[in-house]
């Protein structure tokens, strides 16, 4: 079956530091990959996505590249801000058919950014 | 443009009580689903629906019922609440087919069973 493994948190950084949150996956076929973000007390928001190998998703300064050879989708940001403090979830979805919409999530990584 | 709307946002139940979490979307999405979020476990799929009148079980369906009488609504029913159902519940929706594979989430419902 599908599975997603994220680096263990929590992650604590100073403002303007470089961020990497590792994500690796196991899946059949060619899944789509996602990063969702959950700010304190709020729901999940789609941060970025990639639907095929070597695609790069990007949004709000965050980037992640779909690496099929290493089954990875690591999240990066060059300079984090206090407002980036949140929980980040890596997820995958198999395309089409009865698998549509069934997201498999990692356990989430808590990020705290200090001024 | 409301997106995915969940109610209530917070609820406290006693063991054995029943309740319904409401979910509505105004994007004409065929696909709707419910997840629960527990610490250290990410989100897990409870039930899902690919259209009105069609529902199916996800990873953790026990103790929950769903129905889909309209495209817009997908309520989740707890038949007899148990402390193990204390969690944060998220409703989600998305388009099927070639129109994209993005799933949109509601803001969550925090449920405590005492």
């Amino acid at each position: 079956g599908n599975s997603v493994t994220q680096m263990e948190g929590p992650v604590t950084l100073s403002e303007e530091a470089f961020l990497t949150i590792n994500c690796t996956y196991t899946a059949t076929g060619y899944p789509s990959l996602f990063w969702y973000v959950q700010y304190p007390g709020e729901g999940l928001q789609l941060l970025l996505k990639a639907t095929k190998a070597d695609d790069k998703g990007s949004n709000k300064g965050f980037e992640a590249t779909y690496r099929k050879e290493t089954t990875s989708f690591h999240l990066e940001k060059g300079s984090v801000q206090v407002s980036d403090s949140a929980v980040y979830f890596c997820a995958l979805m198999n395309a089409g058919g009865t698998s549509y919409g069934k997201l498999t999530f990692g356990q989430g990584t808590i990020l705290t950014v200090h001024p | 443009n409301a997106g995915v709307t969940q109610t209530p946002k917070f609820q406290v139940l006693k063991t054995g009580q029943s309740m319904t979490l409401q979910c509505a979307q105004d994007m004409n999405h065929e696909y709707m689903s419910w997840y629960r979020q527990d610490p250290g476990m990410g989100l897990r799929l409870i039930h899902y629906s690919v259209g009105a009148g069609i529902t199916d079980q996800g990873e953790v369906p026990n103790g929950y019922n769903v129905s889909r009488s309209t495209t817009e609504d997908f309520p989740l029913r707890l038949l007899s609440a148990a402390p193990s159902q204390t969690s944060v519940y998220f409703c989600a929706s998305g388009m099927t087919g070639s129109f994209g594979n993005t799933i949109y989430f509601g803001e969550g419902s925090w449920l405590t069973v005492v």
Side-chain angles (χ1 to χ4, degrees), chain A residues 36-40 84-89 107-111, chain B residues 37:
Chain A
Y36 281 88
V37 58
Q38 183 181 27
Y39 298 103
D84 293 327
S85 298
V87 182
Y88 292 82
F89 292 94
Q107 72 271 34
T109 301
I110 300 171
L111 170 66
Chain B
Q37 181 186 14

Side-chain angles (χ1 to χ4, degrees), chain A residues 12-34:
Chain A
T12 303
L13 295 172
S14 297
E15 206 164 27
E16 300 183 1
F18 184 85
L19 168 71
T20 299
I21 301 178
N22 289 340
C23 171
T24 57
Y25 68 90
T26 302
T28 56
Y30 302 94
S32 294
L33 302 174
F34 305 85

